[in-house]
Amino acid sequence: MLSPRILSLAGGRSLMVGLAMVASLATVSAHGQSLAPEHEIRRLMLATEEAVAAERWGEASEYLNRLQKMETEKPADYFYYRGRAMLQAGHLNEARAALEAYVSRAGVDGQHYQHSLKLITDIEKENRANVRALVNGNGEAKEPVAIIEPAGGQELQSLRQLYLADSDREALTIHLNALLETAGWRRDKTVVRLDRPADIRYRVSVANGNLNIQEITRNTDDTTVRKSVSLPVFGVNPQPRWDCEPAVGACWIYDPRDGSRLFQLAQSRNQVNEIALTLGRLIRNLQQGSSGS
């Protein structure tokens, strides 16, 4: 039979172990996430895949939104599921951009390669049908931007629902970063390695009524250089100018303050036009001076 002292010691150890376990659980709960980024991305990707398979689009959008906010390079399938979600929400141009990003990253051996090509064709047909639907009795078509522009005024509520955003400003910021992620500039335009981010990419945030733009440049030795610029929006043209130069394989969006180059992007006129439109809407939102709702 154990003595009362030994029992007391054993009970004390049990109590200490129990308290340590509670403290450990509390620490994990307080941080909200204990997985390393690469494992968290895999977890969210699995959850996204299951949600899309079950057509739980709101749930899928939540996971995609959380993936979007992570700075770690995403797998190719992320763009496929993003394209599916955007298509479901009726954002045809952005859906096509995401699916094209998947095709370029995954290649012909990608699990969703054939389906992505089919969806891109379906989007193209739907865009053409939308244009035909606008033809009036004189055979003249109105400007189709209102139909195919995901960041259009009539689409802001849909963007807020898609990104689970609390305001138009937050939805536009997330949307802009999503577009920028698919349009990063690369030196080698023939082969896109899945494990390597673009050579020049951007992240945009809002602080104190200004746009903060971070440029992340990957050098040939795999080192990275980050540069940030603050863009005050008051008094500037809310529709930035852009163009593409096929000879150098790049497109640029110009600073509305002085016309200098602000974004260097991959050569894709549709994507760059959409980025410029979304950037312009975000600038106008900030110029209103409200909370962004």
Side-chain angles (χ1 to χ4, degrees):
M1 182 175 179
L2 296 175
S3 69
R5 182 174 182 276
I6 294 176
L7 288 172
S8 176
L9 289 173
R13 292 192 189 98
S14 298
L15 177 60
M16 292 300 295
V17 170
L19 290 173
M21 292 178 64
V22 170
S24 177
L25 290 171
T27 300
V28 171
S29 176
H31 286 83
Q33 177 184 321
S34 59
L35 293 175
E38 61 270 24
H39 302 308
E40 181 66 3
I41 284 181
R42 291 190 181 97
R43 184 184 73 83
L44 292 174
M45 284 297 301
L46 285 172
T48 301
E49 181 180 2
E50 291 178 358
V52 169
E55 297 187 349
R56 298 192 299 268
W57 298 108
E59 186 178 323
S61 298
E62 178 184 354
Y63 295 131
L64 287 165
N65 184 23
R66 291 164 65 181
L67 282 162
Q68 167 61 27
K69 293 178 180 179
M70 299 181 69
E71 294 189 0
T72 310
E73 183 78 357
K74 282 79 169 176
D77 281 2
Y78 162 80
F79 296 98
Y80 168 74
Y81 293 123
R82 180 175 180 78
R84 292 282 306 276
M86 287 296 176
L87 184 57
Q88 179 67 22
H91 304 316
L92 302 186
N93 270 9
E94 185 165 7
R96 179 167 184 166
L99 291 167
E100 287 177 348
Y102 169 78
V103 168
S104 67
R105 285 163 171 76
V108 296
D109 295 326
Q111 179 183 357
H112 308 291
Y113 176 78
Q114 296 287 350
H115 191 220
S116 294
L117 294 181
K118 180 182 182 301
L119 291 176
I120 291 170
T121 302
D122 291 343
I123 292 170
E124 183 178 89
K125 291 179 180 178
E126 187 169 349
N127 269 335
R128 289 176 180 172
N130 287 336
V131 172
R132 286 196 299 270
L134 287 175
V135 177
N136 59 31
N138 296 325
E140 296 176 349
K142 300 177 182 179
E143 179 62 37
V145 171
I147 285 180
I148 63 176
E149 181 190 343
Q154 74 280 11
E155 299 289 350
L156 284 177
Q157 183 61 35
S158 297
L159 280 181
R160 289 175 65 164
Q161 293 174 356
L162 179 66
Y163 294 119
L164 302 178
D166 295 327
S167 66
D168 293 346
R169 182 173 301 171
E170 182 184 3
L172 286 168
T173 303
I174 298 173
H175 183 64
L176 179 58
N177 281 320
L179 295 173
L180 288 170
E181 184 168 355
T182 65
W185 182 84
R186 297 175 184 269
R187 296 182 184 88
D188 187 351
K189 299 170 182 59
T190 58
V191 178
V192 177
R193 287 182 52 181
L194 304 184
D195 60 339
R196 295 172 72 88
D199 297 304
I200 299 178
R201 52 199 173 99
Y202 299 89
R203 297 283 300 180
V204 172
S205 60
V206 174
N208 300 320
N210 295 332
L211 276 177
N212 293 327
I213 302 170
Q214 183 182 65
E215 179 183 280
I216 306 168
T217 302
R218 183 169 61 87
N219 299 319
T220 54
D221 61 356
D222 279 341
T223 59
T224 58
V225 177
R226 297 173 183 261
K227 295 188 297 184
S228 297
V229 60
S230 179
L231 172 60
V233 299
F234 294 102
V236 304
N237 186 343
Q239 190 50 64
R241 186 173 62 88
W242 66 273
D243 66 12
C244 297
E245 295 185 19
V248 296
C251 294
W252 284 273
I253 294 178
Y254 297 98
D255 194 318
R257 296 170 298 181
D258 57 14
S260 61
R261 290 172 175 174
L262 187 62
F263 294 100
Q264 179 177 335
L265 304 168
Q267 187 182 338
S268 173
R269 298 185 67 86
N270 288 339
Q271 289 188 44
V272 175
N273 178 59
E274 191 172 338
I275 289 170
L277 288 171
T278 306
L279 176 62
R281 290 195 174 275
L282 181 56
I283 289 174
R284 279 193 291 273
N285 180 284
L286 290 168
Q287 288 175 338
Q288 293 171 1
S290 64
S291 61
S293 59

